[in-house]
C-alpha cells in the first residue's frame, strides 16, 4: 500500500509541520535582530550540500530581494576548496549553513574553516538541536518537527526554507510577506487535496525517459530540488535550467519522451511568451505550475496545468510548487518498482 511509505507520509505531513515553524522563529526573534545589528555584513552566505544547497539557492534570492542586502548561495565545498574567490579578509560575513542532520561533513567543515579564517558570524539551520552545526553556531534555527525517517529530504527542505523565509521578512521589515508565509500551511493542505490523486494519474500515463525542470529567479532553487527528488528516488536522468536557457542548445534533445516541468512566475512577459511558443513546438510533454493559467498559454498545447490560486507572491508560492513535484517523483519511484524511502547509494547523512 502506498500509505505505508515514510516518504509519502512526510510529504503529506507538510501542512501540519509548517504550522509550528513560526513558533520556532519567534523563539529566536530578539536574538536574530541583535545578530543582524551586531555587524555591517558585506555579504550573507547561504550554504549546504545537496538539497540544502538548493534550499540555499532559493532562499538567497528571496533574502536579497526582500532585504536589499548582498547575499550568495554556495555549495559548502566551494568554501572548502576556493574560499578566496568569494571571501575577503577585511570584510564581515554572516554565514548561514544549512543541514538537516547538522552533521554533514562538508557543511560543518565549511563553517569551522570560514570562522577560523574570516570575520564571520554564524546562523545555523538544522532539524537537530544536538548537532555539531548547532553547537558551533552563534545562533540557530532548529526545526525539529521536520525530522524525517526517509533518506530523501521533503518536509525538512520546505520547513527549513519557510523558517529562513520568515527570518528574511523580519530582517526586511516586510510584515505583508511575513503574513504570506504564515498562510502556507492552510494553502498546502488545499494543494494536497486538489492534486494528490491527479499527480498519480499523471505518472500512470507517463511514458517519458527524460525530465527537464525549468525555473527562474526565486523558482530556480525549487526547480533544482524537484529534479533532485526525481533523480534520488526514481533513479532517472534529470536536467535543470533557467527558463529561457533551455532553448539555447539543450532543446536539441527534446522529443516525445521528454517531460518538461515549467515553474512559472506570477506575471508573464514577452520573453516567457516567446519561450512558451518555442517550447510547444518541440513535441515534448509539458507540465506547468502557475498561480493562474496565463492567457498567453494555449491550453491545448500544454499536457498538464497545476494552478495554485493562492494569492501569494513569487517569493512564497514556490513552496506550494514543491508538493506536486515531490508527489510526482514519489509515484514515479513506485511505478519503477523502487524503494522511495531508501534509494540506492544514499544515506541520510554524508560523513567522511
Amino acid at each position: 500500500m502506498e500509505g505505508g511509505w515514510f516518504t509519502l507520509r512526510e510529504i503529506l505531513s507538510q501542512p501540519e509541520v509548517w504550522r509550528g515553524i513560526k513558533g520556532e522563529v519567534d523563539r529566536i526573534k530578539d536574538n536574530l535582530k541583535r545578530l543582524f545589528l551586531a555587524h555591517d555584513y558585506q555579504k550573507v552566505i547561504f550554504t549546504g550540500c545537496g538539497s540544502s544547497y538548493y534550499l540555499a539557492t532559493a532562499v538567497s534570492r528571496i533574502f536579497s530581494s526582500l532585504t536589499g542586502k548582498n547575499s550568495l548561495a554556495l555549495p559548502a565545498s566551494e568554501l572548502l576548496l576556493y574560499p578566496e574567490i568569494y571571501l575577503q579578509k577585511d570584510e564581515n560575513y554572516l554565514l548561514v549553513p544549512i543541514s538537516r542532520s547538522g552533521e554533514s561533513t562538508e557543511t560543518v567543515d565549511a563553517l569551522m574553516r570560514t570562522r577560523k579564517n574570516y570575520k564571520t558570524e554564524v546562523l545555523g539551520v538544522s532539524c537537530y538541536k544536538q548537532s555539531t552545526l548547532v553547537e558551533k553556531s552563534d545562533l540557530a534555527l532548529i526545526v525539529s518537527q521536520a525530522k524525517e525517517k526517509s533518506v530523501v529530504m521533503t518536509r525538512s527542505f520546505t520547513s527549513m526554507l519557510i523558517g529562513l523565509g520568515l527570518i528574511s521578512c523580519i530582517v526586511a521589515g516586510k510584515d505583508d510577506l511575513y503574513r504570506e508565509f504564515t498562510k502556507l500551511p492552510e494553502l498546502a493542505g488545499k494543494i494536497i487535496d486538489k492534486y494528490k490523486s491527479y499527480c498519480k494519474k499523471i505518472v500512470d500515463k507517463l511514458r517519458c525517459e527524460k525530465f527537464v525542470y525549468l525555473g527562474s529567479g526565486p523558482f530556480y532553487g525549487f526547480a533544482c530540488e524537484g529534479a533532485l527528488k526525481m533523480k534520488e528516488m526514481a533513479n532517472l536522468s534529470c536536467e535543470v535550467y533557467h527558463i529561457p536557457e533551455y532553448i539555447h542548445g539543450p532543446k536539441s534533445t527534446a522529443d516525445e519522451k521528454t517531460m518538461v516541468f515549467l515553474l512559472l512566475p506570477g506575471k508573464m512577459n514577452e520573453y516567457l511568451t516567446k519561450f512558451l511558443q518555442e517550447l510547444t513546438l518541440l513535441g515534448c510533454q509539458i507540465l506547468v505550475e502557475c498561480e493562474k493559467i496565463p492567457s498567453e498559454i494555449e491550453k491545448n498545447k500544454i499536457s498538464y496545468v497545476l494552478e495554485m490560486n493562492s494569492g501569494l507572491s513569487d517569493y512564497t508560492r514556490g513552496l506550494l510548487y514543491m508538493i506536486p513535484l515531490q508527489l510526482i517523483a514519489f509515484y514515479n519511484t513506485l511505478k519503477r518498482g523502487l524503494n522511495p524511502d531508501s534509494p540506492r547509494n544514499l544515506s541520510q547523512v554524508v560523513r567522511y
Side-chain angles (χ1 to χ4, degrees):
M1 295 290 290
E2 71 177 40
W5 297 103
F6 290 124
T7 303
L8 182 61
R9 294 179 196 172
E10 288 156 3
I11 292 170
L12 300 181
S13 72
Q14 286 174 108
E16 185 58 35
V17 171
W18 292 359
R19 287 188 179 93
I21 298 170
K22 179 181 178 295
E24 301 297 334
V25 174
D26 285 344
R27 269 188 271 278
I28 64 169
K29 195 171 183 178
D30 291 339
N31 288 330
L32 188 68
K33 290 178 179 178
R34 283 194 287 270
L35 182 68
F36 274 90
L37 290 172
H39 297 284
D40 181 20
Y41 301 115
Q42 273 73 40
K43 194 177 292 181
V44 178
I45 300 173
F46 297 89
T47 190
C49 303
S51 288
S52 294
Y53 167 55
Y54 297 142
L55 193 168
T57 300
V59 81
S60 69
R61 288 156 167 76
I62 294 170
F63 181 86
S64 290
S65 298
L66 299 189
T67 66
K69 297 179 183 292
N70 189 11
S71 76
L72 179 67
L74 291 173
S77 58
E78 284 293 281
L79 291 170
L80 296 173
L81 298 175
Y82 292 102
E84 69 278 3
I85 293 178
Y86 309 102
L87 306 174
Q88 303 296 322
K89 293 288 186 179
D90 59 344
E91 294 189 342
N92 294 317
Y93 299 99
L94 178 65
L95 183 68
V96 186
I98 305 161
S99 169
R100 172 175 60 177
S101 66
E103 300 293 347
S104 299
T105 296
E106 290 162 47
T107 304
V108 172
D109 285 356
L111 185 167
M112 299 295 288
R113 292 192 195 182
T114 304
R115 292 205 72 156
K116 180 180 178 181
N117 297 315
Y118 299 91
K119 293 187 286 185
T120 306
E121 300 291 318
V122 179
L123 170 62
V125 183
S126 180
C127 295
Y128 288 82
K129 184 177 182 179
Q130 303 301 323
S131 64
T132 305
L133 184 144
V134 170
E135 177 188 341
K136 300 299 182 182
S137 296
D138 297 293
L139 181 64
L141 172 65
I142 303 159
V143 191
S144 57
Q145 64 268 46
K147 293 175 183 175
E148 293 155 329
K149 293 186 177 181
S150 57
V151 169
V152 298
M153 291 173 62
T154 53
R155 71 183 182 194
S156 60
F157 175 91
T158 55
S159 298
M160 290 190 288
L161 204 159
I162 288 174
L164 286 169
L166 289 169
I167 287 171
S168 299
C169 293
I170 291 170
V171 174
K174 301 284 189 181
D175 294 339
D176 53 341
L177 282 167
Y178 188 93
R179 286 190 291 271
E180 281 196 17
F181 276 99
T182 63
K183 293 177 182 177
L184 282 166
E186 181 181 354
L187 292 168
K190 292 178 180 178
I191 294 301
I192 289 172
D193 291 342
K194 184 176 181 180
Y195 288 125
K196 178 177 178 287
S197 297
Y198 186 55
C199 287
K200 188 175 186 304
K201 289 177 182 177
I202 290 172
V203 171
D204 288 342
K205 292 173 64 176
L206 273 185
R207 298 295 181 267
C208 295
E209 299 173 355
K210 294 176 287 187
F211 296 86
V212 178
Y213 294 74
L214 306 177
S216 292
F219 300 113
Y220 181 69
F222 294 109
C224 292
E225 175 65 4
L228 184 61
K229 294 308 95 175
M230 186 74 83
K231 188 174 294 186
E232 286 178 324
M233 285 194 278
N235 295 158
L236 290 164
S237 178
C238 303
E239 302 173 49
V240 188
Y241 301 96
H242 295 87
I243 292 175
E245 284 297 302
Y246 186 60
I247 60 173
H248 293 274
K251 70 175 183 179
S252 64
T253 63
D255 56 26
E256 70 280 358
K257 293 186 178 181
T258 303
M259 180 79 168
V260 176
F261 296 85
L262 178 58
L263 282 56
L264 277 184
K267 293 182 179 179
M268 296 287 289
N269 61 29
E270 60 180 302
Y271 298 105
L272 289 173
T273 300
K274 290 176 181 177
F275 170 80
L276 271 169
Q277 292 169 350
E278 179 83 11
L279 184 64
T280 56
L281 299 175
L282 299 179
C284 50
Q285 295 282 301
I286 302 170
L287 184 150
V288 172
E289 289 194 284
C290 57
E291 173 63 5
K292 293 183 179 179
I293 188 72
S295 58
E296 294 88 345
I297 288 184
E298 297 181 57
K299 291 185 180 180
N300 63 321
K301 294 185 178 181
I302 304 297
S303 311
Y304 308 100
V305 176
L306 279 62
E307 291 183 288
M308 302 296 112
N309 291 307
S310 64
L312 301 180
S313 68
D314 287 356
Y315 301 113
T316 50
R317 194 174 59 257
L319 284 144
L320 299 180
Y321 286 178
M322 275 312 306
I323 294 173
L325 296 182
Q326 292 169 344
L327 287 169
I328 288 171
F330 169 80
Y331 286 123
N332 217 13
T333 305
L334 296 189
K335 182 178 179 179
R336 289 169 55 78
L338 301 174
N339 182 344
D341 290 348
S342 185
R344 65 177 185 175
N345 301 331
L346 299 182
S347 60
Q348 267 210 359
V349 186
V350 178
R351 293 189 180 96
Y352 53 88

